[in-house]
Amino acid sequence: QVQLVESGGGLVQAGGFLRLSCAASGRTFSSYAMGWFRQAPGKEREFVAAINWSGGSTYYADSVKGRFTISRDNAKNTVYLQMSSLQPDDTAVYSCAARASGLGSRDAVQYDYWGQGTQVTVSS
């Protein structure tokens, strides 16, 4: 099965920048849509961003639109989440997910594989 490993999380000041990476196993990566989700303590998991198999279509939650950018490098089997102007409300565990259909989705149920997550903490 597909394995996903996130990295790049950490502690950053409000207004700061982080770039998360998600490395995937397998030659099928280029055909998968990829998504980022996050979950803060006491809150439900929420959609952050998604990208289709080719990288030609991207989708963002309203709360991060204009601040976060999702991208992928299929040659490296890696998807990225660039986060700027970080706010304390962005503090959460960020997880990446893969969807075999190749079409990006905001619905976590439609993803087939999940990573373990990486912690992002934004201080005020």
Side-chain angles (χ1 to χ4, degrees):
Q1 61 178 3
V2 174
Q3 293 183 335
L4 306 172
V5 180
E6 302 94 338
S7 62
L11 175 64
V12 65
Q13 297 268 345
F17 170 90
L18 280 176
R19 185 173 185 247
L20 306 183
S21 298
C22 175
S25 65
R27 295 179 297 169
T28 59
F29 176 81
S30 62
S31 67
Y32 281 67
M34 300 295 296
W36 286 96
F37 294 78
R38 68 187 183 186
Q39 187 169 26
K43 296 183 179 180
E44 299 289 332
R45 174 177 279 112
E46 64 176 344
F47 168 77
V48 177
I51 188 166
N52 77 336
W53 69 273
S54 68
S57 298
T58 57
Y59 312 88
Y60 297 95
D62 289 342
S63 60
V64 307
K65 193 173 298 182
R67 300 188 298 119
F68 291 11
T69 301
I70 188 170
S71 62
R72 67 191 299 160
D73 186 341
N74 286 347
K76 296 181 178 179
N77 279 16
T78 302
V79 64
Y80 305 95
L81 184 68
Q82 180 176 302
M83 306 182 294
S84 62
S85 301
L86 283 162
Q87 305 166 12
D89 284 348
D90 296 317
T91 295
V93 174
Y94 285 71
S95 300
C96 68
R99 187 184 186 211
S101 79
L103 303 178
S105 173
R106 293 174 167 84
D107 187 356
V109 173
Q110 295 185 328
Y111 288 83
D112 302 291
Y113 305 100
W114 291 82
Q116 294 300 305
T118 185
Q119 177 71 47
V120 172
T121 302
V122 184
S123 62
S124 61

